[in-house]
Every structure is written in C-alpha cells, then in structure tokens.
Amino acid sequence: MKIYLLLLTCCLSLSLKAQTSTANLYEIKGTVADSSTRKPLDYVTIGLQSVQKQPIKSTLSKPDGSFSFSTLKPAKYFIAIVSVGYQSKTMEIDLTSKARAVKDLGIIYINTKTNKLNEVVITADKPLIKQEVDRITYDLQADPESKTNSVMEMMRKVPLLSVDAEDNILLKGNANYKILINGKPSGMMERNPKDILKSMPASSIQNIEVITSPSSKYDAEGLAGIINIITNKKVDNGYNGSLNLSERFPVGGPGIGGSFTFKQGKLGISAYSGGSIYNTPSTITSNNRATTGINHTNLSQLSERYSDSGNGYFGTEISFEIDSLNLVTAQFGINGNQSEGLSNQSSLLNGQEGILQSYNIQNNNDGNGKSSDASLNYQRGFKGNKNRLLTFSYRYYGYENEQNAALITSTRINYEVPDYKQFNIGGTDEQTFQIDYVHPFKKLNIEGGVKGIHRRNHSDFHFRAFNSQNDLFELDPSRTNLFNNTQDVLGAYNTYQYNLKNWGFKAGFRMEKTIIHADFISSVSKVNQEYFNVVPTINMSRKFKNMSSINFSFTQRIQRPGIYQLNPFVDRSNPNLESTGNPDLHPTVGNMFQLGYNKSKKSSINLVLGYTFFDDLIMPVSAFDPITYVTRSSYDNTGKARLINTNLNLNYPISRKWSLNFNAGLAHGHVEGLVNGILVKNEGFMYNISSSSSYRFEKGWRINANMYLNGPNLALQGTSNSYISSSFSVNKDIVKDKLSFSAAANNPFRKYRINRKEIFGPDFFQTSDNQAYYRSFHTSLNYRFGKLKEAMKKNKRNINNDDVSNSASQ
C-alpha cells in the first residue's frame, strides 16, 4: 500500500509540474504593415532573439501580415523585423511571470528605406538558395565550407552545375556558356577559368548565379546560359575585406587570395586578387586504339608525366557618384599563368603480321599566358524618375597564350619522323561599345540598347624539324602558318518587363549580325562569312500563397567558335593522336524550353524541366587515317542534338544546428552527325548527384560531409566514365566573425582515380585512361577585417542595368 501511495504521489507531482510548466508558457503575436499605405505586408522575416541577440526562432508573416511565436518561457526577448525595401526594426519584449499569457503587439508599421536608421544585424542562418524569374542564386557566405574550399570546389554544390572528372564545369550538362564577374565579362574567365577558379578562395565570393534564361539584354552567346560570380561588396561608409591562406597537398600547393572594399562618401573601391602554385606529381596515362578493316591495327601507348604551374589574378572596380543623377564606374583586371611539364611515352603499333611501328618519346613542354581587361561606364539618371537610366560603356579585353614543346625520340622501329619542336602563340583582342536605356513606368519596365564588338583572333605557329646533317632544328613551311580571324558582332535589343501582384512577365528580342573574316597569311587563303540572327526571349512566373512559384521560359542562344576551335595549329605532341582547330566553323543556334518550380519555407526545393535542340552544333570529331596510322581530332558544324533534362535541388534544415543539401540532375541526350561522310549517332543518359550535410557545435565548431556521383558525359563519338567522390571538413571560429581555421580531406579512401574517355568512329575504337590524384588534404586560414560606419542616406534610385545582378548593384 505504501508503494502505491508513493507512485500516486509521484504522478500527482509530475502532473502538477506539467500544468505549472504549461501555465508559464507565453505567446507573442502581431501584424506587420507598411507605414505609408497602411496595408499588411506578407513574407516579412520576423526573428525572435534572446537578450544577448542570439537567434531563437524565425518566421514569415502571413498574407494578412500576422505572425506569432508560441510556447515561450518567461524571459526578455527582442523581435527583429526585416524585409527587402524596408528599414529593419527591433522591439524589446518583456515576458515575465507577471505578464499576460498572450503578448499582442498590435499593428507594427515599418518604413521604406528613405530615413536613416541604425543597422540591425540578424545572426540566424541565411538560406543557401534563392529562385528568381530567370536565375537561381547560391549564397556562398551562407555555406560554412566556403571558408576552406576554392570556388571550383563549391561549384559542385550549385544547382544546375556539375564538374566532370577533368574539372570542367558543365551547366545543365553543357560546356558552352559564359562566365561573368559581377555581371560583366572578365578576361580571366574567358582565357583559363578552370585554373583561376581552383585558386580563387570561395570566402572572397558572395553569390554564384546560374542564369538559365538570360534576357535579351545579355549577349546571345553561350548555349547553356550564364554563370555570374558576385564578389563580396558593402555599401556602408568605411572599409572591410578578407584574406585567405591555404595549403593543398599532395596535389596543389600554397595559395593566397582575398578581397577589399572601401567606401567614403561618393567614392567606392572594391578589389579581389589571389595566386597559387599547383603541382601535380607523376601520374600514368594509357591510350589504346583498335581499327577495323582489312588491315586492322592495335595501338598501345603508356606515358608518365608530371607538371608544375602557377597563376595569379587581380581585379578592381571604382565608382564615383558625381551627383544624384550621374555615376561613373571603371573596372580593370589582369591575370597570368605559367606551367612546365615532362612526359615520357612508349608507343607500340601492331598489325596482322607483327610490329608496324614502335618508339619512345620524351616531351619537354612549357607555356605561359596573360590577359587584361578594362572598361569605363557612364550612367545618367533623370529628375522625373531616377530609375530611368541612360548608360554608355566601353570595354577592352585581350589575352595571349604561348605553348612550347620539344620532342626527342629513341628506340625507333619503322618510325622515321625526326625530332621536332613546335611553338604557338595564340590570343584574342576585343573592343566593345554599348549604349543602354531603361525607362520604367508604373508596372512596366522597358529597356533597349545597341552594341558593337570587334574581336580579332590570331595565331602564329611554327614547326621545326631536326636536321641530323647540320644538327639544327629547321623550319618546316608546310606545317607553319600565321592565322588571323576577325569577328564583328553588331547587336540591338529590346525587352519588356511587366509585374502584377502574383505574376511576372519578361520578354524581348535581340538582333545580331556576325561578320567573319579568316586570313591564312602564309598560305595566302581567306574565308569570309556573314550571319544574321533574331533571338527571342520569353520568361513568365507565377507566385502562390504558400511561398511557392512556377516559371516558364523560352530562349535561343548562339554558339560562336573560339580561337581554340578555329586555330588550324596542329598539336603533334602525340604523333599518333593529333589535334587541331577548324577555321571554317560558323556560329550555331540552340532553342531552349524550361519549366521550373520553387518552394521556400522551412525547407527549399527547386525543380527544373528542360528541353533543348540544336542544328549544326559545333562538335569535336575524330577521324582515323589508315595510311599514316594517325587519329586527328578537330571540330565541325556537324551535330544535330536534342537534350531532355531535369534538375532537383533540396535544402532542408533538420534542426537549428543540422542542415542537409541535395542536388541532382538527369538528362537524356541524342546526337548525330557526319564524320568523314559517314553518319554517326550516339545517345544515352547523363546524371550527377551531390549531397552535403553540416552540423554546428558549440564554441564555433562545425563539421561538413559531402558525397558526389558524376555520371558519363555524352559526345558525338564517345563518352566518359562515371565516378564517386567524397569530402569531409571541419571549421573553427577562432575569433568570431574575424578569424577562422578550416581543414578538409577529399576522397580519403582512395589515392587515385582513373578518368576514362571512349571515342569511336566508323573504323576505330579508342580509349584513354588518365590516372589522377584523388586523395588530397586542404588547410585554410581566413581572416576578415574592416571598420564600417553608419550607412549613408540613399537615393531611391537603384542602379540595375540587368546585365548586373541585383546582388552586385550599388
């Protein structure tokens, strides 16, 4: 009986405690409204913070402007209200034992950004992904791995992007796109983006935008779309910056990078720079080719190679606001790189009756490159409407690459080609003039402009064969030439954007005339071509009450051949597998349809369905010569292709400390074209899956884990193999918001990866297996500094020329 009484007493005690606990829980509620129109505001972010300004909860106001926080313990709190286009507002709330159970704040009015207000800092986690009518934005500063990773490594996590086995970035499975810096072309991204993005610390980047349906304001070039990289910027008076030191091993080396921003009154300056050393230890490559027909052959090659390289870059932007209606901006950037390598290759060619050819080659090669770009822009506003803008722009861009190779042959069997040296200097010079005009009405925004581009591609290549009689390398005129190619692009565009409460429409067209002249100076031959294109663009979006939206777009994009595809220089580094360009290439047009769905509440989901088709697509082609036993790879306007693709991105916060991100893409491609007059077809599935998860501990510790699965990459005459990779990292804030340390391990379970490429033709099948270091370790130290003063009073106008992201506007 005593036991039963004891149990009953315990139950009553627990019940009374529960009732007391429930009785001491409180609720805060209120309504957010515009101070001028008195209308309720929906989707306003309201954050609940402790007295120490630490985030506790956050929510969004409902369509009627209301919000609430329930089950709160008695304490003092802060309410922080934040919305785009409005001044932030904070309120102190006192919930003690004497307070009522429900604290009704009534109607809270917030002002538009016209008056000066002290800054409010919201320390809650920011969303990683934002969906807009024509683009998806990935916030690198909201991802803790940006403190230790390079921009190239972060590209794997961005929706619609994937990175193949050779670190080539693909946009919706396509390698033809444009990369911009702050909405503008950049010399470093046009010449060697892969090397720059490997050396650029992600901590110096704010956002990466994937513009899948560029408006007619943008150049029509770039089949898949545009990747826009937004560097860190601030609009407050004062200065701030970041410095990143890193070390990568056994592949890679030391690196340094950072950014700096200064603003005082009407003058603003921002800059970013960096450099790195990238060393690749010795790896093995093998090539195997089997030919068919009466005299079938088998080629086997094995080579060992290593390389060392280094690069550096610097970019800056200066803006000066003459007055409230006149703004001048200027940009300047330079970058350079150099590399050297050594490879030893053995080659054996067998026929029906035995060895047809055999040799060993040592290849000493080196190269260097440099580029620069500069631009000047003047913008004029109007008193009647400060969002009405007229802009004049000029840009110069140029780059040059130099390649040198010396090949020494030994152990010859039926191989009479003498030792030789090949040398090539190729590059581009480009000048652009542009005028843009923006005229907004109440709900309609009209833009128009004209643009002229004069582009000169050039190449000077030499082939010198060794003469054993005089021990000299003599010029071979038949394999030497001087090549000039000019492209003049004249364009005009017009766009219309109309916004309703839940609907958004954006449509326009762009007219472009392309004039091409190619001149082979040494061989006295010329190529002349002219093309005219009208490129339409249509974007529609619909918002729903549950914070979801759908969008539809149709656009055409133009693919113009670059200097590497045009250059007739023949690379004979491998005597049996040569590569060259095709100066007869002409531009091609792709048609793209896309349907997207986005929902963002506690979690965010982005789903994209697309269909693309091309005619006369520029494709790599390979043909085998049975007389010389050489496979030559080049380019041709031979491809007809269609691509059906779907992409999914899911970002889910499991808890306040644990988050999960999932990114996947699936596409089916079909391509066909003529190779040596014979129709070749290829089709198949391409896919990529990435998943990342991070957990935040106390005292500034955070761990991250990532898994990637990249499927094959389809081409006209072949495909590549799939692979799986993983990475793990840990971050520690040593000094909050100032100094942090990071360390990462990539693919710790496997030392090497084999990247296989398969190429087939009507009479041959060829495989190339490249061994690459897979396991690597990174360490990084990131330091942020700065002193920001009270924000200046801002004009209502917002400089937004559509070719510059809203995130980058000042």
Side-chain angles (χ1 to χ4, degrees), residues 538-809:
I538 300 173
N539 288 281
M540 297 184 295
S541 65
R542 172 70 162 89
K543 295 181 180 179
F544 300 97
K545 292 183 178 181
N546 60 350
M547 295 188 65
S548 64
S549 64
I550 59 172
N551 56 78
F552 169 80
S553 65
F554 166 74
T555 185
Q556 288 185 337
R557 305 296 296 168
I558 297 177
Q559 178 192 23
R560 291 191 182 91
I563 179 60
Y564 295 107
Q565 296 170 318
L566 292 166
N567 194 347
F569 163 69
V570 180
D571 186 351
R572 295 181 173 89
S573 300
N574 188 330
N576 290 97
L577 306 175
E578 298 178 350
S579 61
T580 184
N582 179 7
D584 294 325
L585 295 175
H586 60 78
T588 187
V589 176
N591 299 272
M592 302 182 181
F593 298 86
Q594 182 172 290
L595 179 65
Y597 172 79
N598 167 260
K599 185 175 182 180
S600 180
K601 207 170 185 179
K602 177 183 178 182
S603 62
S604 67
I605 182 172
N606 292 271
L607 178 64
V608 176
L609 303 175
Y611 176 73
T612 307
F613 64 92
F614 315 88
D615 286 323
D616 294 331
L617 183 64
I618 299 175
M619 295 288 291
V621 295
S622 299
F624 172 70
D625 187 342
I627 298 177
T628 61
Y629 307 118
V630 172
T631 301
R632 176 170 287 192
S633 299
S634 186
Y635 300 90
D636 202 356
N637 288 99
T638 186
K640 290 186 177 181
R642 63 116 178 97
L643 183 73
I644 302 173
N645 66 283
T646 179
N647 295 85
L648 172 67
N649 178 269
L650 176 65
N651 182 34
Y652 183 74
I654 300 174
S655 68
R656 291 182 60 248
K657 296 183 178 182
W658 188 10
S659 63
L660 175 67
N661 180 272
F662 178 79
N663 198 12
L666 175 65
H668 184 271
H670 175 89
V671 61
E672 60 181 62
L674 294 177
V675 179
N676 273 358
I678 300 176
L679 182 64
V680 176
K681 297 182 180 180
N682 195 14
E683 66 178 1
F685 284 96
M686 297 170 283
Y687 55 87
N688 62 85
I689 299 173
S690 66
S691 178
S692 62
S693 182
S694 66
Y695 189 87
R696 184 177 65 246
F697 293 92
E698 301 297 334
K699 298 182 179 180
W701 287 93
R702 185 189 292 259
I703 60 172
N704 310 274
N706 304 275
M707 295 291 294
Y708 310 98
L709 170 61
N710 271 39
N713 188 25
L714 186 69
L716 174 63
Q717 290 181 258
T719 185
S720 61
N721 63 330
S722 59
Y723 65 92
I724 299 175
S725 62
S726 61
S727 66
F728 306 90
S729 65
V730 58
N731 309 290
K732 174 67 170 74
D733 286 332
I734 301 174
V735 179
K736 187 177 180 181
D737 298 327
K738 291 290 184 181
L739 182 65
S740 62
F741 170 79
S742 304
N746 291 338
N747 306 295
F749 312 111
R750 191 175 179 184
K751 185 175 182 180
Y752 296 104
R753 175 180 70 196
I754 301 299
N755 304 324
R756 165 166 287 203
K757 282 189 174 181
E758 297 180 354
I759 302 175
F760 66 87
D763 54 356
F764 76 96
F765 180 80
Q766 180 178 307
T767 62
S768 176
D769 292 331
N770 295 314
Q771 184 188 61
Y773 270 90
Y774 214 30
R775 182 186 302 147
S776 65
F777 302 93
H778 302 173
T779 59
S780 175
L781 192 65
N782 194 72
Y783 175 65
R784 294 178 180 272
F785 60 91
K787 184 177 181 181
L788 298 179
K789 302 175 183 178
E790 187 176 323
M792 293 179 58
K793 181 178 179 181
K794 287 294 179 180
N795 297 309
K796 291 183 179 179
R797 82 177 160 81
N798 178 29
I799 300 169
N800 182 13
N801 289 338
D802 196 42
D803 62 334
V804 180
S805 164
N806 291 335
S807 303
S809 300

Side-chain angles (χ1 to χ4, degrees), residues 141 260 288 370 586 803:
Q141 297 304 303
F260 178 80
N288 294 278
K370 58 184 178 180
H586 60 78
D803 62 334

Side-chain angles (χ1 to χ4, degrees), residues 42-95:
D42 56 355
Y43 303 136
V44 174
T45 301
I46 299 98
L48 181 68
Q49 301 175 351
S50 66
V51 177
Q52 293 78 25
K53 294 295 184 70
Q54 294 297 316
I56 300 174
K57 295 181 180 181
S58 64
T59 187
L60 297 172
S61 61
K62 297 178 181 179
D64 61 357
S66 64
F67 69 91
S68 66
F69 295 103
S70 58
T71 64
L72 301 177
K73 296 180 180 179
K76 292 183 178 180
Y77 298 93
F78 280 97
I79 293 287
I81 302 173
V82 181
S83 182
V84 177
Y86 289 87
Q87 293 177 346
S88 302
K89 189 170 187 176
T90 57
M91 301 175 64
E92 184 177 1
I93 310 298
D94 185 6
L95 295 184

Side-chain angles (χ1 to χ4, degrees), residues 337-387:
N337 72 288
Q338 60 180 9
S339 64
E340 60 180 21
L342 174 67
S343 67
N344 292 286
Q345 175 186 289
S346 62
S347 181
L348 177 62
L349 179 67
N350 284 313
Q352 292 175 304
E353 298 179 357
I355 297 177
L356 297 177
Q357 187 185 77
S358 178
Y359 58 85
N360 292 331
I361 283 185
Q362 183 184 82
N363 183 354
N364 291 276
N365 57 83
D366 63 80
N368 61 78
K370 58 184 178 180
S371 75
S372 62
D373 61 283
S375 63
L376 182 65
N377 312 280
Y378 167 70
Q379 180 175 273
R380 168 69 179 174
F382 298 86
K383 291 183 178 180
N385 186 341
K386 292 183 180 180
N387 290 317

Side-chain angles (χ1 to χ4, degrees), residues 503-518:
W503 285 91
F505 302 91
K506 194 171 187 177
F509 66 92
R510 187 179 188 91
M511 298 181 295
E512 289 190 350
K513 183 177 179 63
T514 306
I515 304 171
I516 299 174
H517 298 288

